[in-house]
Amino acid sequence: MRVLAVSADCLEYEVTNPGTEAVDVAVSFGWSGTEARLSSNATGTRTAVAPGATVRGTFPLTGRPAPPDLPVGADPTFSGAARSTRSPGPSGAAAPVPKVRITRVRSVPTAEAPSTGGACPAAGIRVYADQGDAAMGLRVVGLHLENCGTKDVTLNGYPQTQLFDEAHAPLDGVQVLKGGAAIATSAGADAPPRRFTVAPGGKAHATLVWRNTDDASSAPVNAPYVRVRATPDAAPVTVTPELDLGTTGRIGVGAWQPDGS
């Protein structure tokens, strides 16, 4: 991943897929050389990047002005040489060109990408994660399921989850607990499992709960990716809840519940 060019209006970036399957890539950007940052949704996405392919994308900077004292030009930490240009400002003078850097890159197999809309996946269900909530070290993220197909979907128990690190390697040492009571009560992951049917158009949810607690007993554990199967025979979906487990090394997974319960 690298930034190719930055102007006062937009930046151009490049994404290469070195893997063997198509991937969806999200590239997050931030200001460089100052405490100021782009807005939290400053993320460019490229979908279905073919194996071995290199694609380009653009991200608008209009409406995200750099601070007046922000240095002009490309960040030397870029992978490759970036080109910076100046655009005329309202008075005809050259507008400041922000220094932008890549802050995070996340990629998931296109076949496992979460979906919140558009065409219904072949499995007939959509699964995705919300933005979650964090307070006093406690983290809570919701998993959401929507039956967008034509047949009933039966749920009974817990979503199956597998955690992966930033390099997409499995984190087998993490304890995945059924329910959230061992982490925190009243976090939405306490209800016992039950069998129920999600009719076409219906929805269900489950909850991931963990703590970012660091007692210096070991290295903190981070798991950006979670592969989710709604049922044992369901197609996997990979979400990116950015699990910062600290040194606790465990996460609670709540049972599926019908929406409204």
Side-chain angles (χ1 to χ4, degrees), residues 104-123:
R104 187 170 68 191
V105 177
R106 295 290 181 254
S107 65
V108 300
T110 298
E112 299 181 14
S115 171
T116 59
C120 185

Side-chain angles (χ1 to χ4, degrees), residues 189-233:
D190 300 334
R194 54 170 164 160
R195 183 184 181 90
F196 63 97
T197 298
V198 183
K203 299 179 180 181
H205 63 275
T207 303
L208 305 179
V209 57
W210 72 98
R211 288 192 181 277
N212 178 21
T213 302
D214 188 350
D215 61 9
S217 61
S218 59
V221 176
N222 294 301
Y225 305 101
V226 178
R227 178 175 286 159
V228 179
R229 293 182 187 271
T231 62
D233 58 349

Side-chain angles (χ1 to χ4, degrees), residues 64-78:
R64 300 179 173 88
D69 60 346
L70 190 64
V72 172
D75 186 0
T77 62
F78 286 155

